[in-house]
mmCIF file of all heavy atoms in Angstrom:
data_model
loop_
_atom_site.group_PDB
_atom_site.id
_atom_site.type_symbol
_atom_site.label_atom_id
_atom_site.label_comp_id
_atom_site.label_asym_id
_atom_site.label_seq_id
_atom_site.Cartn_x
_atom_site.Cartn_y
_atom_site.Cartn_z
ATOM 1 N N CYS A 1245 22.735 -34.318 16.071
ATOM 2 C CA CYS A 1245 22.356 -33.380 17.179
ATOM 3 C C CYS A 1245 21.510 -34.132 18.244
ATOM 4 O O CYS A 1245 20.550 -34.748 17.901
ATOM 5 C CB CYS A 1245 21.625 -32.144 16.735
ATOM 6 S SG CYS A 1245 21.168 -31.046 18.015
ATOM 7 N N CYS A 1248 17.966 -31.905 18.355
ATOM 8 C CA CYS A 1248 16.930 -31.844 17.339
ATOM 9 C C CYS A 1248 17.126 -32.955 16.254
ATOM 10 O O CYS A 1248 16.321 -33.127 15.388
ATOM 11 C CB CYS A 1248 16.945 -30.437 16.556
ATOM 12 S SG CYS A 1248 18.472 -30.158 15.682
ATOM 13 N N VAL A 1250 19.332 -33.331 13.821
ATOM 14 C CA VAL A 1250 19.748 -33.003 12.545
ATOM 15 C C VAL A 1250 21.154 -33.646 12.259
ATOM 16 O O VAL A 1250 21.873 -33.706 13.218
ATOM 17 C CB VAL A 1250 19.771 -31.503 12.258
ATOM 18 C CG1 VAL A 1250 20.880 -30.842 13.045
ATOM 19 C CG2 VAL A 1250 19.867 -31.156 10.795
ATOM 20 N N CYS A 1259 25.354 -27.130 16.593
ATOM 21 C CA CYS A 1259 24.319 -27.538 15.679
ATOM 22 C C CYS A 1259 23.845 -26.268 14.955
ATOM 23 O O CYS A 1259 23.576 -25.253 15.495
ATOM 24 C CB CYS A 1259 23.110 -28.129 16.420
ATOM 25 S SG CYS A 1259 21.660 -28.323 15.396
ATOM 26 N N LEU A 1261 21.233 -25.691 13.449
ATOM 27 C CA LEU A 1261 19.772 -25.475 13.546
ATOM 28 C C LEU A 1261 19.341 -24.991 14.948
ATOM 29 O O LEU A 1261 18.677 -23.943 15.044
ATOM 30 C CB LEU A 1261 19.052 -26.813 13.270
ATOM 31 C CG LEU A 1261 17.604 -26.692 12.771
ATOM 32 C CD1 LEU A 1261 17.552 -26.016 11.492
ATOM 33 C CD2 LEU A 1261 17.005 -28.078 12.634
ATOM 34 N N CYS A 1262 19.876 -25.630 16.000
ATOM 35 C CA CYS A 1262 19.412 -25.252 17.381
ATOM 36 C C CYS A 1262 20.565 -24.733 18.250
ATOM 37 O O CYS A 1262 20.376 -24.410 19.417
ATOM 38 C CB CYS A 1262 18.705 -26.387 18.044
ATOM 39 S SG CYS A 1262 19.786 -27.764 18.380
ATOM 40 N N THR A 1264 23.054 -26.201 19.678
ATOM 41 C CA THR A 1264 23.448 -27.091 20.743
ATOM 42 C C THR A 1264 24.921 -27.380 20.539
ATOM 43 O O THR A 1264 25.276 -27.864 19.398
ATOM 44 C CB THR A 1264 22.578 -28.310 20.760
ATOM 45 O OG1 THR A 1264 21.202 -27.975 20.975
ATOM 46 C CG2 THR A 1264 22.954 -29.226 22.002
HETATM 47 ZN ZN1 LIG B 1832 20.226 -29.246 16.837
#
Side-chain angles (χ1 to χ4, degrees):
C1245 177
C1248 67
V1250 74
C1259 170
L1261 204 62
C1262 66
T1264 303

